Amino acid sequence: MVDSSNTWTLVSLMPELQVVRFTQPSLCELTDRGLFDQMLDDLLVRTGKGGVVVLNFQQVVAFDSCFLASLIRAYKRYEKLGAKFVACHLCDDVRMVLMVAGNKQPLDYMLNYVDNEEQAVAKAKKLLRTVDDGSGAQTDGK
C-alpha cells in the first residue's frame, strides 16, 4: 500500500513495517501544522507494539526546530511501546544537527541510522525478529 502527501510518501511493506519517504527538501512542522506528528501517531497505531518505521531522508537538506521536536516526541512515544525508527539517507548537515541535538546520546543513534533504504529495511526486519521475552533478555522471535 502506498499513501502520499505533499511532504512524504508512505509505503507499507508489512503491517508492522512502514516506510516514510520524505519528498520535500525542507521539513517544516510549523508550516505543516502538526501533520508530521499526526502521521507518526497513525503509523504507531498501524505498526503496533514493537513495530518499525523507516524514515528515508534522501530528499531532505534541512528541517526546522519544530520538526525536530516532533521527531523527539514521537521517539519517546515509540520507545514506550517498543517500536523503533530506522533512518537513512541523512545528508551531512542534517546528520550533524541530529548528532548535537541528542540529550543523553546523539539522535542519529536513537534513530538507528544506516546509509540507504535497502539497509534500513534489512535492519528493520532484524529488529522485528528480536522480541523481548519479558525477562530483559533478547530472543530471536522466529
Side-chain angles (χ1 to χ4, degrees):
M1 180 173 111
V2 176
D3 182 18
S4 60
S5 76
N6 289 336
T7 310
W8 57 75
T9 299
L10 301 177
V11 180
S12 179
L13 299 180
M14 54 183 70
E16 63 277 3
L17 175 55
Q18 305 289 315
V19 176
V20 179
R21 294 180 185 139
F22 295 103
T23 57
Q24 298 295 316
S26 181
L27 301 176
C28 183
E29 179 65 357
L30 190 59
T31 302
D32 291 332
R33 294 182 194 92
L35 292 176
F36 179 66
D37 247 349
Q38 183 61 51
M39 181 264 296
L40 288 176
D41 283 347
D42 292 347
L43 286 177
L44 184 57
V45 170
R46 193 182 299 179
T47 59
K49 185 176 180 178
V52 180
V53 174
V54 171
L55 301 172
N56 184 333
F57 288 91
Q58 187 167 14
Q59 303 297 320
V60 179
V61 295
F63 53 77
D64 68 1
S65 59
C66 293
F67 177 85
L68 181 59
S70 288
L71 191 58
I72 293 168
R73 282 192 305 271
Y75 171 80
K76 291 177 181 178
R77 290 189 304 269
Y78 276 57
E79 188 177 43
K80 284 180 185 176
L81 293 174
K84 304 230 183 294
F85 289 123
V86 178
C88 63
H89 287 296
L90 292 171
C91 73
D92 290 341
D93 290 342
V94 169
R95 187 151 191 228
M96 184 60 68
V97 169
L98 292 175
M99 288 176 72
V100 298
N103 183 12
K104 295 182 182 175
Q105 57 187 327
L107 290 179
D108 68 330
Y109 175 79
M110 292 181 205
L111 294 175
N112 295 295
Y113 176 73
V114 295
D115 289 332
N116 58 55
E117 189 172 310
E118 182 180 341
Q119 292 172 350
V121 170
K123 186 168 190 171
K125 287 179 178 178
K126 196 176 288 188
L127 289 169
L128 287 170
R129 287 193 305 264
T130 303
V131 178
D132 187 332
D133 67 4
S135 68
Q138 297 292 312
T139 59
D140 191 346
K142 289 186 207 173

